[in-house]
Amino acid sequence: MSNLRSNIVAWLGRKYFSRIHRNGFDLSKMSFLPDATLAPLRRDGLDPVADLARTRAKEPISKLPLPFGINAWLVTGYDETKAVLGKAKGFSSDFTNLAERNIGVAPQQNPGGLGFSDPPAHTRLRRLLTPEFTMRRLSRLTPRIHAIVEERLDEMAAAEGPVDLVEAFALPIPALVICELLGVPYEDREDFQRHSTARFDLFGGANASFGAMSDQLSYLHGIVRKQRETPGDGLLGMLVKEHGDELDDQELAGLADGVLTGGLETTASMLALGTLILLQAPDQFAAMRDQDEMVDQFVEELLRYLTVVQVAFPRFAREDMEIRGTRIAAGDLVLCSLSGANRDEQLGPDMERVDPHRQTSSHLAFGYGIHRCIGAELARMELRAAYPALVRRFPEMRLAVPADQLPFRKLSIVYGVDELPVVLR
């Protein structure tokens, strides 16, 4: 795990900002794109870059200067983002939109799952998957989540010197929880994590990422075949037992892949960056440690403020339409900045600071509409368990290096920090 330099939706970014084969221009070198295009993927520390707020104040829906004749829009306003994400009949998220527009991807690179599908396929798959993500079903994981957290804390406590919180705590927790959720056998977990790490490595190049993605799906196909033979108690086993005749192996592997891509690096980034906020604000650290009644509300505020998934999956307009006064033509690409929308004053006052007492349940950290993250409640369970346990076990924890020396990701769809060295006592 020492080389986990991952970026949970990096493969998505490289899909629509990757290699244009026809003329040889490599869009994976994203620094060539105009600054206005890259602003939604950049931050200044924990804050979205100032250009994003200026764009939102001037034009909540603004034209993006993309090359190759791609007509694209960036949505940064809260109400405007909800309008786009909630208009499922007006916008398509289907993967074929990317392949058909020659944005450097091929149809066979479609990962499947919920994120890149439209109704009725999306409706059918989500209907089958949703019951497994209700609080009633997820509650079976509660004891194991707390046990995983305590195991990580015990290992940290035994370490000598500074500890990298990303490697020792933030990443292993969601990785192990996903193994539990899917029903990945214990002996397979090393392979599971190895594939996941290679899949999301931002620095390996598009071809390496696609190769790792293919390996990941092949691996998951193997897990699916085992579950077909002997269904377990995890999500895959339940789907096989209850809907095995309705889902083929490709669909099952795609759903498992979606759970992985949606729940690993996102939660890991939240755990690391949320801890960084606590370490820089002693009063908030104390509140998380001492006030049980505040934990749920504080977690929601951290989700809003950090919004680690910075940009929603791309939408393509199915028809000519008007969104909040802006004309969008059929075929236009629309990108919604979730990090920009969650700092919009339309959501409430003084949104540029963390307020543990704020009521922010209407934030867009998990998206909105039919593509809202199906694993939102699982992520909340992990965060609510991990933050208080961490600060209670190590009440004297502090940063081992100045915050401005931390290796924040420079350009990412999922924002995070690659290392978070801390002194525990």
Side-chain angles (χ1 to χ4, degrees), residues 5 33 76 80 90 101 106 155 201 209 211 282 287 298 301 312 314 328 335 337 346 353 356 364 378 380 383 399 422:
R5 301 288 189 268
L33 295 177
T76 50
E80 292 78 7
R101 284 163 175 78
E155 186 166 324
D201 187 349
S209 178
F298 199 175
E301 173 67 349
I328 295 175
L335 296 176
S337 169
Q346 296 177 41
R353 71 179 184 89
L364 302 177
L378 179 60
R380 287 185 170 110
L383 299 177
L399 287 174
V422 296

Side-chain angles (χ1 to χ4, degrees), residues 37-91:
T37 300
L38 300 178
L41 304 179
R42 286 179 169 155
R43 293 208 187 183
D44 182 8
L46 296 177
D47 297 315
V49 293
D51 282 350
L52 206 60
R54 285 192 287 266
T55 298
R56 184 180 62 233
K58 183 179 179 181
E59 291 182 290
I61 303 178
S62 58
K63 196 73 175 291
L64 271 177
L66 286 182
F68 309 107
I70 301 172
N71 204 33
W73 302 87
L74 174 65
V75 185
T76 50
Y78 175 79
D79 289 342
E80 292 78 7
T81 295
K82 286 187 69 175
V84 170
L85 299 184
K87 198 175 179 64
K89 292 183 179 179
F91 290 97

Side-chain angles (χ1 to χ4, degrees), residues 210-224:
F210 292 145
M213 181 167 60
S214 177
D215 290 343
Q216 176 76 36
L217 288 169
S218 295
Y219 169 75
L220 290 172
H221 273 282
I223 294 294
V224 166

Side-chain angles (χ1 to χ4, degrees), residues 150-280:
E150 291 301 318
E151 289 165 5
R152 302 315 305 166
L153 294 175
D154 290 343
E155 186 166 324
M156 290 169 62
E160 298 283 344
V163 171
D164 177 7
L165 198 79
V166 172
E167 178 182 345
F169 187 77
L171 193 56
I173 290 173
L176 292 170
V177 169
I178 289 173
C179 286
E180 293 289 338
L181 174 69
L182 292 178
V184 174
Y186 184 83
E187 60 271 19
D188 288 342
R189 294 185 187 193
E190 184 175 342
D191 285 341
F192 179 83
Q193 187 154 305
R194 176 172 57 82
H195 287 307
S196 303
T197 302
R199 160 83 171 267
F200 303 130
D201 187 349
L202 180 63
F203 305 106
N207 291 333
S209 178
F210 292 145
M213 181 167 60
S214 177
D215 290 343
Q216 176 76 36
L217 288 169
S218 295
Y219 169 75
L220 290 172
H221 273 282
I223 294 294
V224 166
R225 286 192 293 272
K226 292 179 182 178
Q227 293 291 325
R228 291 276 192 194
E229 296 170 1
T230 310
D233 295 329
L235 183 145
L236 284 175
M238 290 182 181
L239 287 173
V240 167
K241 285 183 283 189
E242 298 178 14
H243 306 289
D245 294 337
E246 302 174 62
L247 293 164
D248 60 30
D249 286 3
Q250 183 173 354
E251 289 175 319
L252 278 169
L255 290 174
D257 187 68
V259 170
L260 171 64
T261 60
L264 178 56
E265 188 67 13
T266 50
T267 303
S269 290
M270 275 299 306
L271 286 171
L273 296 181
T275 300
L276 176 58
I277 288 176
L278 297 175
L279 291 174
Q280 296 182 99

Side-chain angles (χ1 to χ4, degrees), residues 31 210 339:
S31 60
F210 292 145
S339 57

